[in-house]
């Protein structure tokens, strides 16, 4: 039959073109042989997409889908003219399975689900990734151990200050923001599975590098690991899996993003208490020095004692030290640089655990099949029209984008500032006034509680936005957030004047409300962007708007540490003017005029000063965050104005795929 077909084509002008192109002849013979063998349909390879077969009788190739074309027809004898033409009875669209055969496992094509896949199964893999990178919100539990990395029980002169370790969190945020700005199109191109694999590798590597750097007391190494590598892992795991989930839930965009970002916001709910337990497990008490506290002297602001004929730096265990390590003996002298906070091993353990969980989440990523829609039968999906969108080059020229950016930055500043230093704030403000209630475990529980507030805000506010509108919810963030920031200084002043647990619970409520609004801000943002600029623009615009979050994460904690440091030093100066100079000399081994040297060497605290202050002196610790809260309320007010001014984009700026 194949021979009779070729005999027929010798009489046609198409033979000349075929003879001149051996590849074309091979392309044609393959399907001919298959049909001659009785096949009802064949596949013409993509390189054969436009072969002229005869002068007036040609194979109609139709439109290629995924590079292949299905042909079906009947062949007859040249003696029967009615069968001399290859009839393209149907052109059948190639399925995703053909692509999966040739595509790599990590490619976007390989992760396409088969028609009929239950879209709710797409949620758990995203939650696994989001919950892992969301552990960044537990950063505040690492601040204190880093500030006593060498002293272990308390800070030594060579330990890092709070102002040096808090920006590690900010560095992660900045690397995230820059990455999503520059790499969002690439992330969208390679797909959620490949992004998940890269996120798992980068995030776990960042934690491992941070662990090794902590072990060798290298602050740049921690910035490199947790800051740079962690920020990149954060970016790859955040944007594309969420946009992929939105594609599965076009009818419930708020719910979809709320679920994913709920897991992200709730990352600290597991990480904070787990990290505390791991540090307690891995920690080691410093070597006990065989000297009395009275033998400790100050040299250049450093506490030293003669041990085995050498002057070595030491730390003295305090009541706070015993809270950290119950086996420590209050008032005893320990050799600096000999113990272990357990933080390095904790970082390494988290690296292994999160790397495994994220890898599983990445491998489980699936994307919708072509023309997937909700509420229609599969055969009707092919007629669905694509949703309009505003091209990125137009988005960047519109005031709506910059109002989005300002709204994100201002709203995020208060929440991310509290989260980055939550444990420190709780210990400083209420640990001194309610010591029997607020200890290290309570502070860690407070961090976990904020994570729960963050998580519930992402889901609760996102779900509410589907009902009352995204803009209305964003306006509520400002209306609730500004009063919450302003009431916190009143609560800290009240607990200082009359310590009572009611002020503690009110503070927890106010700060939790701020964090729910912060969580809702990020939980709604992808859906809000989709509403304003269109679904197709969402991943890239979302990535660029998140640089506003990165700016807030950079500026907010810096403002907090700067204002806290100024308030703390001012409080020390005020207290120094109230103490007896002789008592000061006895307590710190130097005169009052050397106060700044003691502050620089981290050898003096408000707590130690209060020990020698006259009775009735008010402890100023609880008020060192007042100026920060006033600044945060101003930022929230600015965000409220930006959200109020944000209006819908004119429909004339939208384009569709056909345009």
């Amino acid at each position: 039959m194949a021979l009779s077909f070729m005999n027929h084509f010798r009489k046609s002008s198409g033979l000349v073109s075929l003879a001149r192109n051996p590849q074309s002849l091979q392309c044609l013979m393959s399907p001919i042989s298959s049909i001659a063998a009785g096949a009802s349909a064949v596949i013409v390879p993509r390189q054969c997409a436009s072969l002229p077969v005869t002068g007036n009788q040609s194979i109609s190739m139709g439109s290629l889908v995924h590079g292949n074309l299905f042909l079906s027809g009947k062949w007859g004898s040249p003696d029967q003219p009615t069968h001399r033409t290859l009839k393209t009875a149907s052109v059948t669209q190639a399925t995703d399975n053909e692509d999966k055969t040739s595509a790599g496992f990590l490619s976007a094509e390989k992760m396409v689900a088969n028609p009929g896949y239950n879209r709710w199964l797409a949620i758990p893999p995203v939650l696994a990734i989001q919950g892992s990178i969301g552990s960044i919100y537990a950063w505040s539990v690492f601040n204190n151990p880093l500030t006593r990395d060498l002293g272990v029980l308390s800070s030594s002169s060579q330990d890092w200050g709070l102002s040096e370790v808090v920006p590690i969190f900010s560095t992660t945020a900045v690397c995230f923001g820059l990455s999503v700005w520059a790499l969002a199109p690439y992330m969208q191109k390679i797909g959620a599975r490949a992004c998940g694999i890269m996120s798992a590798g980068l995030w776990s590597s960042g934690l491992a590098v941070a662990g090794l750097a902590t072990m060798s007391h290298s602050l740049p190494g921690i910035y490199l690991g947790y800051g740079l590598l962690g920020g990149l892992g954060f970016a790859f795991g955040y944007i594309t899996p969420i946009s992929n989930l939105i594609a599965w839930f076009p009818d419930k965009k708020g719910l979809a993003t709320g679920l994913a970002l709920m897991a992200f916001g709730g990352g600290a709910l597991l990480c904070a208490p787990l990290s505390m337990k791991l540090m307690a497990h891995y920690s080691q008490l410093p070597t006990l020095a065989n000297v009395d506290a009275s033998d400790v002297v100050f040299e250049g602001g450093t506490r030293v004692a003669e041990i085995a004929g050498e002057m070595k730096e030491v730390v003295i265990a305090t009541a706070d030290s015993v809270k950290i390590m119950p086996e420590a003996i209050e008032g005893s002298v320990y050799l600096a640089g000999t113990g272990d906070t357990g933080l390095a091993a904790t970082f390494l353990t988290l690296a292994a655990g999160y790397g495994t969980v994220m890898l599983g989440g990445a491998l489980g990523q699936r994307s919708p099949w072509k023309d997937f829609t909700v509420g229609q039968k599969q055969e009707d999906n092919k007629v669905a029209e694509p949703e309009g969108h505003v091209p990125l080059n137009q988005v960047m020229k519109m005031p709506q984008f910059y109002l989005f950016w300002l709204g994100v930055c201002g709203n995020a500043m208060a929440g991310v500032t509290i989260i980055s230093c939550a444990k420190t704030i709780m210990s400083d403000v209420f640990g001194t006034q309610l010591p029997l209630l607020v200890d290290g475990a309570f502070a860690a529980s407070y961090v976990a509680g904020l994570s729960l507030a963050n998580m519930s805000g992402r889901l609760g506010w996102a779900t509410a936005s589907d009902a009352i509108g995204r803009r209305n919810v964003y306006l509520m963030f400002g209306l609730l957030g500004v009063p919450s920031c302003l009431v916190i200084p009143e609560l800290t002043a009240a607990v200082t004047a009359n310590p009572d647990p009611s002020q503690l619970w009110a503070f927890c409520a106010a700060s939790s409300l701020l964090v729910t609004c912060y969580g809702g801000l990020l939980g709604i943002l992808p859906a809000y962007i989709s509403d304003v600029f269109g679904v197709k623009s969402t991943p890239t615009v979302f990535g660029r708007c998140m640089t506003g979050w990165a700016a807030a994460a950079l500026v907010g904690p810096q403002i907090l540490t700067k204002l806290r440091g100024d308030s703390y030093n001012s409080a020390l100066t005020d207290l120094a003017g109230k103490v007896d100079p002789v008592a000061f000399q006895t307590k710190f081994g130097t005169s009052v005029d050397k106060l700044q040297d003691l502050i620089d060497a981290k050898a003096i605290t408000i707590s130690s000063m209060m020990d020698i202050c006259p009775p009735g002196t008010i402890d100023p610790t609880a008020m060192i965050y007042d100026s920060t809260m006033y600044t945060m309320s101003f930022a929230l007010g600015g965000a409220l104005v930006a959200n109020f001014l944000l209006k819908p984009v004119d429909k004339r700026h939208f384009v569709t795929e056909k345009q």
Side-chain angles (χ1 to χ4, degrees), residues 455-476:
M455 182 171 63
S456 61
R458 291 170 190 252
L459 180 60
W461 287 117
T463 304
S465 74
D466 284 335
I468 65 176
R470 328 283 184 208
R471 182 173 180 269
N472 292 333
V473 172
Y474 264 44
L475 292 175
M476 291 180 66

Side-chain angles (χ1 to χ4, degrees), residues 378-395:
Q378 183 176 339
E379 57 267 22
D380 294 334
N381 289 343
K382 59 176 180 266
V383 300
E385 291 293 329
E387 186 174 349
H389 69 282
V390 182
L392 181 62
N393 61 338
Q394 292 296 317
V395 169

Side-chain angles (χ1 to χ4, degrees), residues 30-385:
S30 177
I32 291 172
S33 300
S34 298
I35 292 180
S40 59
V42 297
I43 299 177
V44 178
R46 74 175 69 217
Q47 63 265 29
C48 309
S50 58
L51 292 179
V53 181
T54 70
N56 57 3
Q57 298 172 345
S58 62
I59 299 176
S60 175
M61 291 300 176
S63 61
L64 295 180
V65 179
H66 303 304
N68 294 324
L69 181 70
F70 282 72
L71 299 178
S72 63
K74 294 183 179 180
W75 299 93
S77 166
D79 299 328
Q80 297 176 333
T82 57
H83 294 285
R84 288 178 183 176
T85 304
L86 173 63
K87 297 179 180 180
T88 56
S90 64
V91 178
T92 307
Q93 188 181 56
T95 66
D96 294 318
N97 290 332
E98 279 73 42
D99 285 322
K100 295 177 184 178
T101 302
S102 58
F105 179 72
L106 298 182
S107 66
E109 293 85 0
K110 194 72 173 180
M111 61 176 282
V112 175
N114 293 323
Y117 182 81
N118 188 336
R119 62 176 178 162
W120 294 96
L121 296 178
I123 295 176
V126 177
L127 301 186
I129 296 175
Q130 293 294 308
S132 297
I133 59 176
S135 61
I136 187 176
Y137 285 131
W139 173 256
S140 65
V141 303
F142 304 134
N143 284 334
N144 185 265
L146 285 171
T147 61
R148 49 183 177 83
D149 185 49
L150 296 177
V152 181
L153 292 174
S154 62
S155 297
S156 70
S157 63
Q158 299 302 310
D159 274 318
W160 307 305
L162 187 64
S163 61
E164 294 176 279
V165 300
V166 168
I168 298 172
F169 174 90
S170 302
T171 303
T172 308
V174 170
C175 289
F176 163 81
L178 295 177
S179 298
V180 296
W181 181 287
L183 300 176
Y186 171 72
M187 295 175 187
Q188 195 69 9
K189 179 181 178 181
I190 64 176
R193 180 176 291 172
C195 282
I197 294 290
M198 295 184 71
S199 178
L202 288 165
W203 184 255
S204 59
S205 296
L207 287 170
V209 170
L212 296 175
T214 303
M215 198 176 295
S216 58
H217 196 66
S218 170
L219 189 60
I222 301 176
Y223 273 89
L224 171 64
Y226 203 96
L228 178 59
L229 295 179
L232 286 169
F234 182 4
F236 274 98
Y238 192 83
I239 301 296
T240 307
I242 292 177
S243 62
N244 185 54
L245 197 59
I246 292 177
W248 278 111
F249 292 88
D251 57 327
K252 295 181 175 65
K253 290 183 287 187
L255 175 63
T257 56
L259 284 171
L261 296 178
M262 177 188 71
F264 177 76
L269 189 63
L270 171 65
C271 186
L274 175 62
S275 297
M276 294 295 291
K277 289 184 179 297
L278 288 173
M279 284 188 284
H281 175 73
Y282 292 127
S283 64
Q284 295 180 5
L285 192 67
T287 301
L288 183 65
N290 294 320
V291 295
D292 190 80
S294 60
D295 297 326
V296 177
V297 297
F298 285 84
E299 290 185 359
T302 301
R303 287 183 294 254
V304 295
E306 184 176 353
I307 301 175
E310 296 182 25
M311 300 301 290
K312 295 184 178 181
E313 184 173 4
V314 296
V315 294
I316 301 175
T318 64
D320 290 335
S321 302
V322 177
K323 292 180 182 179
I324 296 169
M325 291 187 173
E327 61 271 31
I329 304 172
E330 185 176 356
S332 296
V333 180
Y334 293 86
L335 189 62
T338 59
D340 190 347
T341 63
L343 182 56
T346 297
F347 276 142
L348 294 173
T349 302
L350 293 176
Y354 282 129
T356 302
V357 172
M358 293 174 72
L359 181 61
L363 297 178
Q365 293 292 314
R366 297 289 186 275
S367 61
W369 56 93
K370 185 177 180 180
D371 297 329
F372 164 82
T373 56
V374 179
Q376 289 180 293
K377 296 181 180 179
Q378 183 176 339
E379 57 267 22
D380 294 334
N381 289 343
K382 59 176 180 266
V383 300
E385 291 293 329

Side-chain angles (χ1 to χ4, degrees), residues 507-576:
F507 170 81
C508 290
S511 57
S512 295
L513 179 59
L514 281 170
V515 173
T516 62
C517 293
Y518 165 76
L521 165 79
L522 300 180
I524 295 171
L525 184 59
Y528 197 3
I529 291 173
S530 177
D531 292 343
V532 175
F533 298 114
V535 172
K536 186 173 181 180
S537 299
T538 299
T540 304
V541 177
F542 178 54
R544 299 199 171 187
C545 282
M546 285 300 288
T547 59
W549 175 87
L554 173 64
V555 174
Q558 291 290 339
I559 290 175
L560 182 145
T561 54
K562 177 65 170 62
L563 294 178
R564 176 193 181 277
D566 291 345
S567 298
Y568 198 95
N569 292 343
S570 177
L572 285 173
T573 302
D574 290 342
L575 292 176

Side-chain angles (χ1 to χ4, degrees), residues 574-606:
D574 290 342
L575 292 176
K578 298 177 181 179
V579 301
D580 181 2
V582 176
F584 189 95
Q585 177 78 36
T586 303
K587 177 76 173 178
F588 300 106
T590 188
S591 60
V592 176
D593 58 358
K594 299 294 184 180
L595 175 65
Q596 190 58 49
D597 291 338
L598 294 175
I599 293 174
D600 294 339
K602 297 179 282 293
I604 189 171
T605 63
I606 291 178

